[in-house]
């Protein structure tokens, strides 16, 4: 297996070891309780072993089928899920979608103020940052839109997925076509960065791991209020209570180090997000994540995790093992998004740890979210 992993990574042995132990225990975070909880703490997360390592993954092709057929987990009848099932095989992005679309959305640069991550509590070092926001064709501020927060991986920044207003990316054009063809529901896509004092922070593994752990502070206190004031979402006001009331209309998505960020958001920000789509970046165990749900005051019917990795991804075996371990825990029920399930997992045949795979996993998650359920 090649040690070159393209846009989002480097040597496989190094990242696999780091990602396997990346997540610390609970942040004193976004909302460990329902709406009235305190704002996130900037304290460093406790250095706790997230869980005992899971066993090596079984053959990937048999994983989904065996769990589904045996019905190992109880069905959670109260689950709120999409009316559309997740496809058996990951959708491929049509080649024609790389061309400009007649119904073009736009990329906008949203400036906002935050604080240096390591001294966030003291708020002694203000920072000015920006995020790239995808605004769908025909955006109408008189009605609310679902919102996806999409985090980049290593060696990347807020422009990696969408490009810039001056130079939109190919992936932005692909989203335009998918929205125009009804594959993806029109939604706002927000691409921020966990980079802190330097645009190259994401190229430093140890630093990136620290920054992803601290990112919930900036997300909830600074970025979400800026985004959901500037654009019409389901939050009536940029407040914790309103974010909690509108959690069904919010998702957090990420690949590689962006996936590690997604697990941190799952760990401490469930009060504000229902949907989580991590891919090819793992940590913890089924028991660890089940406990994270309970610690935040939620249950099996309150979330959906959409996991994906590649058959040729250097982290594919470890990510598959994590999905197996979660599916074996009573908190999680593997399925295709039907009522009573809260865990989806797909493996991209032939996919490795690269930019195309990252785009494909995001594309598939977006194609599933809110289909048939958006107001």
């Amino acid at each position: 297996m090649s040690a070159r992993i393209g846009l989002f990574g480097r040597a496989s042995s190094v990242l696999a070891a780091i990602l396997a132990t990346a997540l610390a225990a609970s942040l004193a975070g976004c909302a460990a309780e329902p709406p009235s909880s305190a704002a996130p703490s900037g304290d460093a997360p406790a250095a706790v072993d997230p869980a005992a390592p899971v066993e090596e993954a079984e053959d990937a092709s048999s994983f989904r089928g065996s769990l589904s057929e045996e019905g190992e987990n109880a069905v959670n009848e109260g689950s709120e899920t999409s009316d559309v099932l997740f496809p058996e095989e990951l959708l491929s992005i049509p080649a024609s979608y790389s061309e400009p679309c007649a119904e073009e959305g736009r990329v906008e640069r949203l400036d906002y103020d935050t604080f240096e991550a390591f001294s966030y509590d003291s708020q002694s070092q203000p920072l000015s940052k920006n995020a790239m926001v995808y605004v769908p064709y025909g955006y109408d501020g008189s009605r609310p839109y679902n919102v996806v927060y999409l985090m980049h991986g290593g060696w990347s920044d807020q422009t990696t997925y969408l490009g810039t207003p001056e130079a939109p990316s190919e992936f932005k054009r692909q989203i335009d076509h998918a929205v125009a063809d009804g594959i993806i529901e029109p939604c706002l896509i927000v691409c921020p960065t966990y980079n802190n004092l330097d645009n190259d922070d994401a190229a430093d593994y140890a630093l990136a791991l620290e920054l992803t752990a601290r990112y919930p502070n900036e997300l909830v206190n600074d970025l979400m209020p800026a985004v959901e004031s500037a654009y019409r979402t389901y939050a009536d006001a940029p407040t914790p209570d309103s974010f909690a009331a509108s959690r069904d209309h919010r998702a957090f998505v990420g690949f590689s180090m962006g996936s590690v960020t997604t697990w941190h958001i799952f760990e401490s920000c469930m009060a504000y997000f229902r949907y989580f789509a991590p891919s090819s970046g793992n940590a913890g165990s089924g028991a660890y994540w089940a406990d994270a749900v309970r610690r935040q005051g939620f249950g099996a019917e309150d979330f959906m995790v959409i996991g994906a990795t590649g058959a040729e991804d250097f982290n594919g075996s470890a990510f598959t093992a994590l999905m197996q371990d979660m599916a074996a825990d009573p908190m999680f029920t593997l399925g295709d998004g039907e009522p009573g399930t809260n865990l989806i997992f797909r493996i991209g045949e032939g996919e490795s740890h690269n930019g195309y795979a990252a785009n494909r996993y995001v594309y598939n998650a977006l194609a599933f979210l809110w289909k048939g359920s958006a107001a």
Side-chain angles (χ1 to χ4, degrees), residues 188-370:
L188 297 163
I189 304 172
V190 181
C191 290
T193 181
Y194 56 78
N195 287 333
N196 188 32
L197 295 177
D198 193 295
N199 288 338
D200 293 329
D201 286 346
D204 182 327
Y205 269 125
L207 176 58
L209 288 171
E210 292 276 5
L211 293 175
T212 61
R214 288 169 166 77
Y215 188 73
N217 292 307
E218 177 182 326
L219 172 67
V220 175
N221 292 329
D222 307 319
L223 178 62
M224 284 173 57
V227 169
E228 305 197 30
S229 296
Y231 301 95
R232 180 72 190 280
T233 71
Y234 282 84
D236 292 333
T239 64
D241 284 356
S242 189
F243 291 150
S246 57
R247 66 183 295 274
D248 290 355
H249 300 280
R250 199 171 292 110
F252 201 97
V253 180
F255 173 82
S256 192
M257 200 63 78
S259 179
V260 173
T261 314
T262 304
W263 288 117
H264 280 298
I265 304 308
F266 183 78
E267 182 177 30
S268 58
C269 299
M270 192 171 286
Y272 305 140
F273 292 83
R274 172 176 285 275
Y275 299 100
F276 306 86
S279 55
S280 296
N282 62 285
S285 66
Y288 183 80
W289 296 121
D291 185 59
V293 174
R294 288 188 290 267
R295 278 191 282 104
Q296 295 176 81
F298 291 98
E301 70 281 2
D302 295 319
F303 65 90
M304 174 66 73
V305 173
I306 305 167
T309 193
E312 304 302 322
D313 191 309
F314 72 80
N315 201 47
S317 179
F319 193 88
T320 299
L322 173 61
M323 294 293 103
Q324 286 180 307
D325 206 45
M326 290 175 69
D329 189 285
M331 177 66 75
F332 304 98
T333 302
L334 188 72
D336 299 322
E338 65 271 27
T341 66
N342 58 18
L343 179 65
I344 296 169
F345 177 54
R346 294 293 186 271
I347 296 174
E349 295 302 325
E351 296 291 2
S352 60
H353 201 89
N354 58 30
Y356 176 78
N359 290 353
R360 188 183 183 195
Y361 304 151
V362 174
Y363 180 91
N364 275 264
L366 294 176
F368 172 76
L369 292 173
W370 302 297

Side-chain angles (χ1 to χ4, degrees), residues 114-120 122-128 196-197:
T114 184
F115 299 93
E116 191 279 326
F118 288 88
S119 56
Y120 195 95
S122 68
Q123 299 190 351
S124 57
Q125 188 171 355
L127 289 182
S128 294
N196 188 32
L197 295 177

